[in-house]
Structure formats: C-alpha cells, structure tokens
Amino acid sequence: QVQLVESGGGLVQAGGSLRLSCAASGRIFSIYTMGWFRQAPGKEREFVAAISWSGGTYYADSVKGRFTITRDDAKSTAYLQMDSLKPEDTAVYYCASRKTYSSSTYYTDPAMYDYWGQGTQVTVSS
C-alpha cells in the first residue's frame, strides 16, 4: 500500500507561482511513476504531468512551458512547480502513483494509476 499526501495549494493571482508537493510512504518510491492530475468543478479529471522513475517527463499541452514536474527519491516526494498561472488552472490537484517495471514508463490515463492523494485546491484569481 502507498499513501500519498499533497500540499502546497492555495490562492494566487494570475501570473503567480505555486509549488505542489506529493509525499509518498509505504513502498519503494523510486520505482513508481508519478503523475499530477486536476479536476475543476463540473469537469472530468484531466492529466497535467507525469514523471517516470528514470526522470523522463511528459506534460499536457495546456501546461507545457509553465509547469515543471520533478521528483526527489531520497525524500519520496514528487513536486509540481507551477509558474505563470492562469485562472483556468483553478482546480483540485491530485498526485497519483503506479509501480512500473520500465524506467521510462509514464501514463496520462488516470485509470492506469493505483494510488491517489486526497487533493489540494489551487485557485488562481484574475
């Protein structure tokens, strides 16, 4: 079993920055693919970014160039640095993980992830 706890959400003005953290416990973090998703009111959960355990990254087009996903295996923590935030980035942000056997694997489909955090609210005001 893996437990994930997100933190770092909050209220920020458009153009500002936030850094989300996802602390994992329970298993060997280094062999888990990590992903960030978000869900706005009335909308489906959507992919934001993912990082494989070799450090390969992948981003949704809507956040490419503004968000950066990283991981620190020594701390069993994944991060999402969000810059140049826009009001349309407002959502509850969730981190997710899945154990993988390939160092380069990542997933954009939320159904592929086994473990989820409770979510953290990000609100961007215009």
Side-chain angles (χ1 to χ4, degrees):
Q1 191 74 9
V2 173
Q3 294 80 41
L4 303 174
V5 179
E6 302 101 333
S7 61
L11 173 64
V12 64
Q13 288 188 330
S17 298
L18 283 174
R19 187 195 195 201
L20 306 183
S21 298
C22 174
S25 62
R27 286 290 187 262
I28 303 173
F29 180 80
S30 60
I31 58 171
Y32 281 77
T33 288
M34 302 299 297
W36 285 97
F37 293 79
R38 65 187 182 187
Q39 189 166 17
K43 295 187 177 181
E44 293 186 353
R45 191 166 298 190
E46 67 172 354
F47 170 77
V48 174
I51 186 166
S52 68
W53 53 267
S54 67
T57 57
Y58 188 76
Y59 298 93
D61 287 343
S62 59
V63 307
K64 201 172 294 183
R66 300 188 298 121
F67 291 10
T68 304
I69 186 172
T70 57
R71 61 190 297 157
D72 184 338
D73 291 345
K75 296 182 178 180
S76 297
T77 301
Y79 303 96
L80 185 68
Q81 177 66 41
M82 305 186 296
D83 299 316
S84 303
L85 282 161
K86 304 175 181 180
E88 51 262 46
D89 294 319
T90 295
V92 177
Y93 282 71
Y94 299 89
C95 70
S97 71
R98 176 185 169 125
K99 184 177 181 180
T100 56
Y101 297 96
S102 168
S103 63
S104 60
T105 299
Y106 58 84
Y107 304 97
T108 61
D109 182 352
M112 297 301 292
Y113 288 84
D114 298 317
Y115 303 101
W116 292 84
Q118 82 289 350
T120 185
Q121 177 71 46
V122 171
T123 304
V124 185
S125 63
S126 58

